[in-house]
């Protein structure tokens, strides 16, 4: 089996599948950037995008071509939610950052901030998300860090998508 046109030694070509930009698996192993990941269960492995996934024992995050195993999730109930977030039986997360309680959580609106690219590369682009859960309404800002602010139990402004 091949990843980025380099042969992966020991991979089973009949069951090999590419799951994301750096992630692949076969019936026996999970591979990151063409190398076998140690102590990852291929049979229970689920990928939630190019940078985060889980098996029956733990969750992982990949950044700068390195794998970090993340603690704190309820692995049995962890799943992708609201396009770029994760949710377990207790909380909603952005990557490994706990945002709000997941009881009756829903994403009401999102705003993708302007991407500056070459004009102002040092300015982080910010994305904003309006959530509602059993406790009330929450504003989440992602950009230059992750910020969560409780807005209250009532929200009377119109939501425009």
């Amino acid at each position: 089996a091949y990843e980025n046109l380099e042969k992966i030694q020991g991979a089973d070509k009949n069951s090999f599948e590419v799951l994301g930009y750096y992630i692949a698996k076969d019936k026996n192993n999970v591979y990151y950037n063409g190398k076998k990941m140690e102590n990852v269960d291929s049979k229970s492995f689920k990928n939630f995008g190019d940078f985060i996934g889980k098996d029956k024992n733990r969750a992982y995050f990949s950044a700068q071509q390195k794998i970090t195993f993340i603690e704190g999730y309820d692995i049995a109930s962890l799943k992708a939610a609201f396009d770029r977030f994760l949710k377990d039986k207790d909380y909603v997360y952005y990557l490994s950052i706990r945002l709000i309680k997941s009881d009756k959580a829903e994403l009401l609106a999102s705003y993708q901030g302007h991407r500056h690219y070459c004009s102002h590369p040092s300015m982080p682009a910010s994305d904003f998300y309006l959530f509602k859960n059993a406790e009330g309404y929450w504003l989440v800002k992602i950009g230059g860090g992750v910020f969560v602010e409780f807005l209250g139990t009532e929200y009377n402004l119109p939501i425009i998508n």
Side-chain angles (χ1 to χ4, degrees), residues 14-29:
N14 295 323
S15 63
F16 189 84
E17 60 181 307
V18 175
L19 302 174
Y21 190 69
Y22 290 109
I23 305 293
K25 79 173 195 171
D26 64 18
K27 66 181 182 177
N28 301 311
N29 298 297

Side-chain angles (χ1 to χ4, degrees), residues 100-116:
I100 63 172
K101 290 185 178 176
S102 63
D103 184 25
K104 298 181 182 172
E106 56 184 307
L107 177 63
L108 300 178
S110 65
Y111 171 76
Q112 302 296 310
H114 176 69
R115 299 296 185 254
H116 301 285

Side-chain angles (χ1 to χ4, degrees), residues 3-79:
E3 172 83 7
N4 295 330
L5 302 179
E6 291 184 28
K7 187 171 183 177
I8 297 176
Q9 296 297 323
D12 179 72
K13 68 179 181 179
N14 295 323
S15 63
F16 189 84
E17 60 181 307
V18 175
L19 302 174
Y21 190 69
Y22 290 109
I23 305 293
K25 79 173 195 171
D26 64 18
K27 66 181 182 177
N28 301 311
N29 298 297
V30 177
Y31 304 92
Y32 177 75
N33 202 24
K35 295 186 177 37
K36 177 183 164 187
M37 293 175 64
E38 297 298 325
N39 303 314
V40 176
D41 181 67
S42 177
K43 290 172 184 50
S44 66
F45 182 81
K46 290 188 170 113
N47 196 47
F48 299 130
D50 289 332
F51 304 106
I52 197 149
K54 76 168 189 171
D55 68 6
K56 66 181 181 177
N57 300 310
R58 58 188 170 177
Y60 78 90
F61 172 71
S62 66
Q64 299 174 346
Q65 298 186 4
K66 294 173 77 176
I67 293 289
T68 302
F69 291 99
I70 305 169
E71 303 295 326
Y73 297 124
D74 177 73
I75 295 299
S77 65
L78 185 65
K79 60 185 178 183

